[in-house]
């Protein structure tokens, strides 16, 4: 892009920095950027720190690109964001000033899809139910007539994670239904899924897997009516956002229907309060937000950002660029 040397700054949660940007990733980045200052947290940024910065290299704990920050960083042209949703990062002002954003969200989406697939297939064979039943009874559970991959899976949303999950499921021969009001029926069918309504996803699926972003119109969208409409022995899997589910309604319906099951990798609040009824129900499993990139897996995110920096310097299209137009319905 330019022959002029670029100045960069690492700014993110220091506790996660080494997970994301290891020695190899930093070496690749610093082959294109001059890093004049040590890693800092967003709260420690100042006008002097930002004055000569062309590229922010960041991830979890990134600063929000407010007008005040941008005024202090007149040269800022690119932000490399080795994390997921850019909603905490970008602003109308950052888009207006033409600051480009590269995000590792698609890589995280693939990891979430892998985890969702594992839980969906396990749910189709009632794996968690047998584990918990055997533990309570202190004897082996008796197998019954599971559908396995002959069952139906419903996906709520076909964003990056929903699409990745759909691609994985179609390899297993599972019937996949999906609801996303912003995806055309033709695009849904091209993914190998059957487009349908939200009501039909809940009423016709043996496993419902949530992948929607948490927006004003999706908060608590999974309500008591939808939960009560689920098929006998159906399972709800949530690897998206806890706020998509009306938790009090979920607790009530799971209490009413012992045949239903829930696998919750996310909750609202997260983690649940000690003594939450979620821990008292026999038909729910809560995992501590395992679906995304964990520990050393996060180096893939830093590597992707280093690769996009090389493309930026060479004047080539970025693989992981986020456009303002994609934000309205994105996670």
């Amino acid at each position: 892009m330019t022959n002029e040397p670029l100045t960069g700054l690492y700014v993110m949660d220091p506790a996660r920095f080494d997970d994301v940007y290891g020695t190899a990733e930093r070496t690749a980045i610093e082959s294109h950027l001059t890093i004049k200052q040590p890693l800092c947290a967003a709260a420690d940024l100042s006008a002097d720190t930002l004055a000569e910065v062309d590229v922010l290299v960041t991830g979890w704990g990134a600063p929000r690109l407010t007008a005040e920050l941008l005024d202090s960083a007149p040269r800022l042209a690119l932000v490399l964001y080795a994390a997921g949703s850019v909603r905490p990062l970008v602003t109308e002002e950052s888009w207006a000033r033409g600051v480009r954003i590269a995000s590792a969200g698609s890589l995280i989406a693939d990891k979430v899809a892998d985890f969702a697939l594992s839980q969906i297939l396990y749910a189709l064979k009632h794996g968690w139910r047998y584990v918990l039943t055997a533990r309570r009874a202190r004897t082996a559970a008796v197998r019954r007539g599971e559908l396995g991959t002959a069952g139906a899976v419903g996906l709520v949303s076909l964003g990056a994670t929903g699409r990745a999950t759909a691609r994985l499921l179609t390899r297993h021969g599972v019937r996949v239904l999906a609801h996303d009001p912003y995806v055309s029926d033709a695009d849904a069918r091209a993914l190998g899924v059957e487009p349908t309504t939200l009501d039909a996803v809940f009423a016709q699926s043996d496993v419902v897997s949530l992948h929607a972003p948490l927006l004003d119109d999706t908060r608590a969208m999974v309500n008591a009516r939808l939960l009560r409409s689920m098929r006998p022995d159906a399972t709800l899997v949530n690897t998206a956002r806890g706020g998509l589910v009306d938790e009090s309604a979920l607790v009530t319906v799971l209490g009413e229907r012992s045949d239903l099951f829930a696998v919750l990798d996310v909750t609202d609040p997260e983690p649940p309060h000690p003594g939450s009824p979620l821990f008292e129900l026999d038909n729910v499993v809560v995992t501590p937000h395992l679906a995304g990139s964990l520990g050393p897996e996060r180096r893939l995110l830093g590597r992707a950002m280093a690769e996009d920096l090389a493309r930026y310097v060479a004047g080539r299209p970025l693989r992981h660029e986020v456009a303002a137009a994609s934000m309205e319905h994105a996670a």
Side-chain angles (χ1 to χ4, degrees):
M1 175 181 170
T2 177
N3 293 323
E4 303 243 345
L6 297 173
T7 297
L9 177 67
Y10 294 118
V11 52
M12 61 179 290
D13 178 357
R16 301 191 184 190
F17 180 69
D18 287 335
D19 279 352
V20 176
Y21 296 108
T23 300
E25 291 72 34
R26 293 197 299 271
T27 298
I29 287 167
E30 291 165 24
S31 69
H32 299 294
L33 295 182
T34 298
I35 305 292
K36 296 181 177 180
Q37 302 176 66
L39 165 71
C40 69
D44 297 327
L45 286 175
S46 67
D48 290 342
T49 304
L50 292 163
E52 298 182 356
V53 172
D54 301 294
V55 180
L56 281 182
V57 184
T58 185
W60 287 281
R64 189 160 178 79
L65 301 177
T66 62
E68 180 182 7
L69 182 148
L70 294 167
D71 286 343
S72 298
R75 290 170 39 177
L76 182 63
L78 174 67
V79 178
L80 301 171
Y81 183 63
S85 172
V86 301
R87 284 187 178 277
L89 172 74
V90 299
T91 62
E92 291 296 329
E93 189 66 23
S94 67
W95 296 124
R97 297 198 193 189
V99 178
R100 298 175 70 182
I101 309 291
S103 165
S106 63
L107 282 79
I108 295 176
D110 287 341
K111 289 295 182 188
V112 175
D114 288 342
F115 185 83
L117 175 70
S118 73
Q119 297 308 302
I120 290 166
L121 295 180
Y122 202 48
L124 286 169
K125 296 196 174 187
H126 294 166
W128 279 119
R129 300 174 196 242
Y130 287 133
V131 169
L132 298 181
T133 297
R135 179 164 296 176
R136 288 192 300 272
R138 297 178 179 271
T139 187
V142 178
R143 197 173 69 200
R144 46 187 189 158
E146 287 71 39
L147 294 170
T149 54
V153 176
L155 304 179
V156 178
S157 180
L158 289 173
T161 307
R163 287 171 181 264
T165 305
R167 287 191 289 268
L168 293 173
L169 284 168
T170 55
R171 298 174 191 169
H172 292 273
V174 181
R175 180 190 174 206
V176 184
L177 299 85
H179 170 71
D180 190 321
Y182 306 107
V183 174
S184 71
D185 287 0
D187 285 347
R189 291 193 181 97
L191 285 168
V193 308
E194 302 172 30
T196 189
T197 64
L198 184 62
D199 284 359
V201 162
F202 274 82
Q204 298 179 24
S205 302
D206 299 292
V207 178
V208 175
S209 186
L210 305 182
H211 301 283
L214 183 59
L215 307 171
D216 288 343
D217 59 351
T218 61
R219 185 174 292 279
M221 66 185 295
V222 180
N223 55 29
R225 181 185 64 80
L226 288 173
L227 293 165
R228 288 194 175 102
S229 75
M230 293 179 76
R231 299 181 70 170
D233 296 328
T235 298
L236 176 72
V237 175
N238 190 6
T239 57
R241 291 289 183 266
L244 297 172
V245 179
D246 180 339
E247 188 173 294
S248 63
L250 178 66
V251 168
T252 297
V253 175
L254 290 177
E256 294 170 351
R257 289 188 54 184
S258 60
D259 65 301
L260 296 182
F261 203 87
V263 178
L264 308 177
D265 192 49
V266 288
T267 55
D268 185 21
E270 188 176 300
H273 294 305
S276 166
L278 292 174
F279 298 123
E280 299 174 7
L281 292 164
D282 292 334
N283 48 348
V284 62
V285 167
V286 179
T287 54
H289 206 145
L290 301 175
S293 298
L294 303 177
E297 292 176 338
R298 293 173 177 165
R299 293 284 172 87
L300 297 174
L301 315 182
R303 191 176 311 160
M305 295 301 94
E307 290 169 355
D308 256 2
L309 175 61
R311 297 175 73 87
Y312 175 79
V313 170
R316 300 168 63 196
L318 306 186
R319 285 202 175 113
H320 301 286
E321 186 161 12
V322 178
S326 68
M327 289 300 299
E328 185 178 358
H329 307 298

